[in-house]
Amino acid sequence: MARIAVIGAGMGAMAAAARLAVAGHRVTVYERSATYGGALGRFERDGFAYDTGPTLLHLPAVYRDLFLKTGKKPLEECVRMTQVDPASRHLFPDGTEVRLPNASRAGVVSALDAALGAGAGTRWGDFLGRARDAWDRSRRPLLEEPLRSDWQILGRDPYPAVRQRRLLRAPRVAGTVAEVGTGELADRRLAALFEGYVLSYGLDPRRTPASAALLPYMEQTFGTWYVRGGMRALAHAVYERCLERRVEFVFRADVIRIVEKDGRAAGVELAPGPAASAPTVVEADHVVAGTAPEALVDRELWRDDDVRPWDAGGSGAPSVPGRFSVLLALRGGRPDGTAHRTVVHSPDGGDEAGAVFSGRTAQRPTVTVLRPDDPTTRPDDGHEALTLTATVAPHGPVDWNDAGLRERYADVLVEAAGAAVPELRERLSWREIRTPADTAAGTGARGGSVPAPSLAGAEGRLLRPSNSTRLPGLYLVGGEAHPGGGLAHAGMSGTLVAGLIVEGADFRGSR
């Protein structure tokens, strides 16, 4: 039985902790805040409740597997999950509206044909077919296996782009999301649909490789799920599973150093707390870091030819956006037939991406309106809890602590959301604003950035560092490590770290 110290109580860290405890190890989680869940926060006021991080679950199989492998009760007995149908409603600048059914490719094709005109659904369906090919080619190395030492092979884009013939000119092949929208989808609204998926993950459609087709493919193939009580309920279920497996949690424990001995990680050093006037060293056989570990060690953790953290990648590292949210308390009940998620698309997606990725605020952002049909989010049926979100530049390039800017930008989101919610301003009781500055303060994420899932292509620039490091005994978990950000990917990082510790170098990935 090994002693394992886990830094942070995010979803990836807790997933690793539960699996390691089942394998017979003694696991202790050290969390600097007063609670678990990482980005899966919850805001409550006057009987209203809101998620302050991710709001919907894709690839639920990741967490089904976690609960299957760590206890007797399956996931569905620990949380109540429902498929969101329609999966999303989209409002385009020209007034077109389309509702996309959940996990039905044929249904999506039919809906797009009916709303956008004959042929639009077929083009989207063909696009999803190519996305499926990219998924089949890259699923295991990108999601289910530890990052290979020859990771450069993932620098090639697996998306089979269409060669478009041009009169008296060389054929054109789309290499980016924006180019797929212009060339293969050939409809500004279909292009906005694809680019909206990509931007919502914090990726720049103008520079992100076409392999990002995996993002809408995963959602439209495996479905969109909501957890009653919000994603915080999922975090609580994983926490409870950890406790059942006798994982120990120490909250308000600030790890200030990873201890080394004989050339390997040998424990953690905790900052002085209420019960101790000096730092405390806790010995461990392995250390799992759910936060960026560079500041906690006195050595370089990556070789020159390794995948490196984005914020340590120099001038070539991409900017990582954050989320701006407005939590609205509304008078009046949620009307029957209301879509859970409505996306109000920007009239100028190129200008929006240019602003977000150059450290400015977009004048007309794409706004996602979330209206869950969940009694736990509201005081009674005569009220409604509604959340507006937009992808924005991180805190730093934009001063999201500026009270005036926060209020003005909240007004921008509310104005855009009026297209989706009639009489929105008239129904408003109060609002709460959450910015990347709040995310940074609550989670420690630099600039309040939200990590995106790893993608193949772009010469490997969108990959995340390996779960193992140059320091033996130190492992990385969570959105800042392979396979990147997002609830499903964080859960898979926990699977990979547990496999590497339990099986060692022979571990070849999840089965």
Side-chain angles (χ1 to χ4, degrees), residues 48-62:
F48 293 89
Y50 310 82
D51 283 322
T52 58
T55 58
L56 294 169
L57 179 63
H58 308 297
L59 286 178
V62 172

Side-chain angles (χ1 to χ4, degrees), residues 89-92 94-99 111 114-116:
R89 171 190 178 212
H90 296 265
L91 302 179
F92 298 102
D94 67 353
T96 306
E97 173 182 341
V98 61
R99 290 175 176 241
L116 308 187

Side-chain angles (χ1 to χ4, degrees), residues 1 12 31 47 62 64 67 74 136 152 178 184 216 465 506:
M1 178 179 70
E31 168 57 48
V62 172
R64 289 193 179 108
F67 278 75
D136 291 341
Q152 290 86 351
E184 296 183 10
D506 293 332

Side-chain angles (χ1 to χ4, degrees), residues 164-419:
Q164 297 173 317
R165 297 183 181 279
R166 298 185 294 174
L167 185 63
L168 302 178
R169 301 169 67 183
R172 179 173 55 192
V173 178
T176 67
V177 169
E179 290 170 353
V180 170
T182 301
E184 296 183 10
L185 297 176
D187 183 303
R188 184 56 242 168
R189 296 161 298 183
L190 290 179
L193 184 61
F194 183 21
E195 292 173 8
Y197 278 108
V198 172
L199 186 63
S200 71
Y201 282 94
L203 296 165
D204 186 347
R206 303 166 305 167
R207 298 181 176 87
T208 300
S211 65
L214 296 180
L215 302 177
Y217 171 79
M218 286 190 295
E219 179 173 323
Q220 294 187 11
T221 300
F222 303 112
T224 300
W225 300 77
Y226 176 74
V227 176
R228 181 186 172 99
M231 288 302 121
R232 184 65 185 173
L234 177 62
H236 180 72
V238 176
Y239 172 68
E240 289 289 332
R241 178 54 55 89
C242 286
L243 294 181
E244 291 173 12
R245 309 315 305 181
R246 299 188 179 181
V247 174
E248 181 181 357
F249 286 80
V250 183
F251 295 106
R252 300 193 185 282
D254 188 10
V255 174
I256 58 175
R257 186 171 67 93
I258 294 171
V259 177
E260 297 183 41
K261 183 178 180 182
D262 298 329
R264 62 176 290 114
V268 296
E269 182 176 336
L270 306 178
S277 58
T280 302
V281 172
V282 180
E283 295 182 350
D285 300 297
H286 303 280
V287 175
V288 176
T291 57
E294 300 96 312
L296 304 179
V297 295
D298 297 325
R299 65 161 70 196
E300 175 60 58
L301 293 176
W302 292 276
R303 299 180 177 86
D304 291 340
D305 60 348
D306 286 339
V307 176
R308 302 170 68 84
W310 284 6
D311 60 7
S315 59
S319 173
V320 185
R323 303 286 185 270
F324 187 101
S325 300
V326 188
L327 317 179
L328 304 178
L330 302 185
R331 296 181 293 271
R334 181 181 186 273
D336 292 339
T338 296
H340 183 116
R341 176 176 53 169
T342 298
V343 181
V344 183
H345 291 271
S346 169
D348 191 338
D351 177 75
E352 178 182 19
V356 169
F357 291 93
S358 63
R360 297 182 287 111
T361 55
Q363 293 184 348
R364 298 285 299 277
T366 295
V367 177
T368 299
V369 182
L370 298 167
R371 306 177 72 179
D373 185 12
D374 183 352
T376 71
T377 65
R378 55 186 184 257
D380 53 53
D381 289 340
H383 294 83
E384 183 180 4
L386 188 148
T387 301
L388 313 179
T389 65
T391 300
V392 296
H395 180 54
V398 174
D399 181 8
W400 289 117
N401 283 325
D402 183 325
L405 174 61
R406 292 163 65 102
E407 294 293 337
R408 290 192 300 273
Y409 211 64
D411 287 338
V412 170
L413 267 65
V414 171
E415 179 181 359

Side-chain angles (χ1 to χ4, degrees), residues 138-155 302-303 305-310 453-457 459-469 475-476 480-484 492-493 495-497 500 504-505 507-510:
S138 59
R139 172 178 57 88
R140 284 202 61 80
L142 266 182
L143 188 63
E144 299 175 354
E145 298 176 346
L147 192 64
R148 295 164 47 170
S149 58
D150 61 344
W151 59 267
Q152 290 86 351
I153 194 171
L154 289 172
W302 292 276
R303 299 180 177 86
D305 60 348
D306 286 339
V307 176
R308 302 170 68 84
W310 284 6
S454 293
L455 292 173
E459 299 179 340
R461 291 193 302 273
L462 298 181
L463 299 175
R464 292 284 179 171
S466 172
N467 305 106
S468 55
T469 70
Y475 300 86
L476 308 185
E480 298 296 340
H482 178 71
M492 279 306 303
S493 74
T495 302
L496 297 178
V497 165
L500 288 167
F507 180 62
R508 292 294 180 266
S510 175

